Amino acid sequence: MPSHRVAILVYDGVTMLDVAGPAEVFKEANRFGGDYALVLLSPTGAEVTSNLGFRMSVDGPVSAKPTYDTLLVPGSDRYPRARVPAELVDAVRVPVADRVASVCTGAFVLAAAGLLDGKRATTHWKVTHELALRCPTCQVEPDAIYVRDGTTYTSAGVTAGIDLALALVEEDLGADVAREVARTLVVYLQRTGGQSQFSAPLQGPPPRSPILRKVTDLVSADPRAEHSVGELAKHLNVSTRHLNRLFHDELATTPARFVESIRFDLARTLLDQGYTATRAATMAGFPSYESMRRVFARRLSISPAAYQRRFSSTRVDPAPTRLGTER
């Protein structure tokens, strides 16, 4: 493979892990036949200060020459809280690169430069809605770990930059090399499920309608009770038609899906606290473990047991599961 030039664009406030994670993947790939040449660039060529306060020296400013095979734009906590400055937008537009990729909120930089117009993309789950507002012609995929649309790549939050870099290595050098790199870094070549498995329970603001707020209080107070649309309407002294319309107009969902969401959020919290999956299903109001498992599979693409293994505790298990054997 000829030398593959990877330019990583850094700037004040850049997230260090967004830079170091993918860079480590490319560096490791060179041990297995790759020939990646990494360069660190800033908009003006001046050193920058990362989100951790570390100062970072760079190889030079962004320029149109030489061309790069890959331009990687890491993210920052500053965006989307603030508008992307013109200097950074211009820096993304200048290089000539065969493919452009972003990590986490680096997608907002690409969007500001017009590089996501009419394309599919993703970013950190917390700000996917904001990306859709900033780039209305972009099809934002909130659950994706990374998205490829032509020669443009975007990835989810922080460590998803490693997933993206592994995908780029696989594209360049094949699955065998990417797998060896993943094994060396002790990560999955392709993780199970989307990024919604990492998102917080969707608490959100209370519904505006007094009737819907009563539904929330009712289901949360006793999730194991019968909460069919008929029972809810009867309890609230409204028609099922009126209740369905309220849910549709204000929450864009159905009463059944809303009840399921409350039970799902409660089940995740119980699993995080160490309850068994069967006990969590009962306490959260699911008719059975199997019904809860189907909801987890549909929403997170993993089982309740797999979710609990990942998120319930950071303690070392005395008999750890080997990578690649997760069920």
Side-chain angles (χ1 to χ4, degrees), residues 4-258:
H4 184 118
R5 291 177 57 83
V6 178
I8 303 178
L9 177 62
V10 296
Y11 48 91
D12 285 334
V14 69
T15 299
M16 181 70 80
L17 188 54
D18 287 5
V19 178
E24 190 68 27
V25 170
F26 293 124
K27 187 268 302 182
E28 198 64 34
N30 286 345
R31 298 180 56 226
F32 298 99
D35 190 14
Y36 292 101
L38 303 179
V39 292
L40 211 58
L41 307 176
S42 69
T44 64
E47 67 176 18
V48 302
T49 302
S50 76
N51 66 317
L52 299 180
F54 299 150
R55 300 191 71 80
M56 302 170 64
S57 298
V58 300
D59 296 298
V62 173
S63 64
K65 294 181 180 180
T67 59
Y68 306 103
D69 297 285
T70 299
L71 172 66
L72 183 68
V73 182
S76 169
D77 290 339
R78 297 181 180 182
Y79 315 115
R81 289 184 299 167
R83 290 287 175 182
V84 180
E87 179 183 73
L88 186 53
V89 172
D90 292 340
V92 173
R93 289 175 174 159
V94 167
V96 178
D98 292 337
R99 63 189 180 194
V100 178
S102 66
V103 181
C104 197
T105 56
F108 285 86
V109 182
L110 299 191
L115 300 183
L116 297 185
D117 291 348
K119 295 186 177 182
R120 296 164 46 247
T122 193
T123 187
H124 193 288
W125 59 266
K126 285 185 176 181
V127 291
T128 51
H129 178 67
E130 180 65 24
L131 180 62
L133 292 176
R134 295 277 185 96
C135 187
T137 66
C138 176
Q139 181 183 331
V140 180
E141 300 188 4
D143 197 39
I145 299 297
Y146 63 85
V147 170
R148 173 187 177 182
D149 191 325
T151 59
T152 303
Y153 301 72
T154 52
S155 64
V158 198
T159 59
I162 296 175
D163 298 78
L164 173 61
L166 285 169
L168 296 177
V169 168
E170 181 175 2
E171 183 178 295
D172 297 335
L173 302 172
D176 289 342
V177 171
R179 188 175 297 110
E180 288 301 320
V181 173
R183 285 172 175 165
T184 302
L185 299 179
V186 199
V187 296
Y188 290 97
L189 177 58
Q190 184 174 0
R191 72 175 88 186
T192 304
Q195 63 170 321
S196 57
Q197 64 186 288
F198 302 96
S199 62
L202 304 178
Q203 303 295 334
R208 295 188 304 274
S209 167
I211 291 178
L212 296 186
R213 287 199 297 271
K214 287 181 181 179
V215 172
T216 302
D217 295 340
L218 184 66
V219 179
S220 299
D222 187 8
R224 288 184 287 184
E226 170 62 37
H227 294 307
S228 65
V229 62
E231 286 297 319
L232 290 173
K234 180 179 178 181
H235 184 86
L236 299 170
N237 197 29
V238 297
S239 68
T240 57
R241 181 177 180 180
H242 180 60
L243 188 60
N244 277 314
R245 185 169 62 250
L246 282 175
F247 272 95
H248 178 271
D249 292 346
E250 184 170 338
L251 302 177
T253 189
T254 65
R257 288 295 192 195
F258 184 76

